[in-house]
Amino acid sequence: MKEIVVATKNAGKVAELAAALAPLQIAVKSVSDYGAIEEPEETGTTFTDNALLKARYYAQATGRACLADDSGLEADGLGGEPGVYSARFAGPGATDRANNEKLLAELNARPGAARTARFRCVLAFCDTNGQVLTADGTCEGIIIEEGQGSGGFGYDPLFFMPEYRKTLAEMTVAEKNAVSHRGRAVQVMVKQLAGYFS
């Protein structure tokens, strides 16, 4: 069976990608399945830079085709922050809770600041021969003042999508995959991978 390694140890992200890639009938593995691989330093200044860096690094480290993503939140009231620093907004190794608290504190410290925001995702696929595919997606929403919902991960409980009257954390995995930044990037990537694997 064809196999792709997803360049993350985040179980939520692996589950989302596995569900989205299911139509391709590909075995989806996590880098955790390959032992203690040291994480690469994300030195890129854009989501594309970091996604490509991770895809190439883990393809070499595992000897398997690899799918990596770099994604984050761009809050308009914070000039596009946290952006590529979303996972470590509250510092290295920050928890989702710490990042969410910092986001709210920064927005609340700027009365009248716009609470509009978007999630942006870039997916990069790299095989063991160095062939690369990329796809990106965005979704627009509003940062609410208190988290709602217990699903998802990261900033999902604070990211409200008015047209659906829900936060990403209140959606089922299927609902989220249909409308999220990662879901939209995956839809583009699935089409590319279908061609690649055929």
Side-chain angles (χ1 to χ4, degrees):
M1 190 176 189
K2 301 177 188 98
E3 183 177 299
I4 285 182
V5 177
V6 179
T8 184
K9 294 173 184 169
N10 181 318
K13 208 180 270 190
V14 173
E16 272 183 26
L17 287 168
L21 294 170
L24 296 177
Q25 297 183 317
I26 296 169
V28 177
K29 305 275 190 176
S30 163
V31 292
S32 301
D33 297 328
Y34 291 85
I37 299 173
E38 197 172 316
E39 292 184 20
E41 191 178 348
E42 294 182 32
T43 54
T45 57
T46 67
F47 294 121
T48 302
D49 290 344
N50 284 332
L52 284 168
L53 182 154
K54 289 185 279 189
R56 289 178 173 130
Y57 174 87
Y58 284 114
Q60 185 174 24
T62 64
R64 298 280 188 275
C66 185
L67 183 63
D69 92 306
D70 199 48
S71 54
L73 181 72
E74 298 173 335
D76 293 325
L78 302 180
E81 288 186 348
V84 293
Y85 304 104
S86 293
R88 50 196 186 277
F89 191 41
T95 62
D96 289 348
R97 182 175 179 169
N99 285 330
N100 283 324
E101 286 172 355
K102 179 169 183 182
L103 176 68
L104 291 177
E106 297 262 341
L107 280 172
N108 292 340
R110 303 180 194 199
R115 295 189 81 92
T116 51
R118 76 210 40 79
F119 269 122
R120 187 178 303 280
C121 173
V122 175
L123 283 172
F125 169 85
C126 182
D127 69 14
T128 52
N129 296 320
Q131 184 173 341
V132 166
L133 302 170
T134 62
D136 59 86
T138 59
C139 67
E140 301 285 331
I142 295 166
I143 304 301
I144 55 175
E145 296 190 6
E146 192 173 306
Q148 291 176 199
S150 58
F153 55 91
Y155 299 95
D156 288 358
L158 296 176
F159 193 83
F160 183 78
M161 297 185 75
E163 65 267 47
Y164 302 102
R165 298 183 191 167
K166 290 180 181 180
T167 66
L168 286 177
E170 293 176 299
M171 295 183 182
T172 66
V173 171
E175 287 173 330
K176 184 180 172 186
N177 279 342
V179 302
S180 75
H181 55 309
R182 189 171 295 105
R184 289 171 176 166
V186 167
Q187 288 166 25
V188 176
M189 181 59 77
V190 165
K191 288 176 186 166
Q192 293 186 64
L193 287 175
Y196 170 87
F197 282 116
S198 67

